[in-house]
Amino acid sequence: MCNQIEVEAVVVDDGSDDGNELAEVVSRYSNASLVVHSSNCGMCAARNTGISRSKGEFVSILDADDELVPDWPNVFESVIHGCPIS
């Protein structure tokens, strides 16, 4: 198994109508931040906002309808460092 990586989540609310609920969920996590577009700017703008606000060396984009694979931090680290996935 690879070493654990630090994970940061930058959540972009691209003018949604459930912003209050999203803000409440994001506030539960110390390593997550929320950026709000006042109106819908589109998928590319939302992704660019998230990327520009991230602090890490690597970025993984996750849309609202995507699901992470089990144990994804270790899988992601394995890909980054080229170590075998156990």
Side-chain angles (χ1 to χ4, degrees), residues 1-5 57-60 69-86:
M1 184 166 105
C2 297
N3 296 325
Q4 290 295 316
I5 59 174
E57 184 177 356
F58 300 97
V59 174
S60 178
V69 298
D71 197 33
W72 74 268
N74 285 325
V75 172
F76 190 65
E77 187 177 32
S78 295
V79 172
I80 292 169
H81 296 295
C83 59
I85 299 172
S86 54

Side-chain angles (χ1 to χ4, degrees), residues 9-67:
V10 178
V11 179
V12 179
D13 177 351
D14 191 33
S16 71
D17 57 2
D18 60 351
N20 290 337
E21 293 169 51
L22 183 59
E24 194 279 318
V25 170
V26 171
S27 72
R28 297 178 199 165
Y29 302 93
S30 61
N31 61 339
S33 60
L34 177 64
V35 181
V36 178
H37 288 173
S38 58
S39 63
N40 184 286
C41 297
M43 179 180 63
C44 291
R47 289 178 175 182
N48 287 339
T49 296
I51 292 167
S52 69
R53 297 289 179 98
S54 68
K55 298 177 189 116
E57 184 177 356
F58 300 97
V59 174
S60 178
I61 296 171
L62 185 72
D63 292 320
D65 59 347
D66 293 336
E67 292 184 26

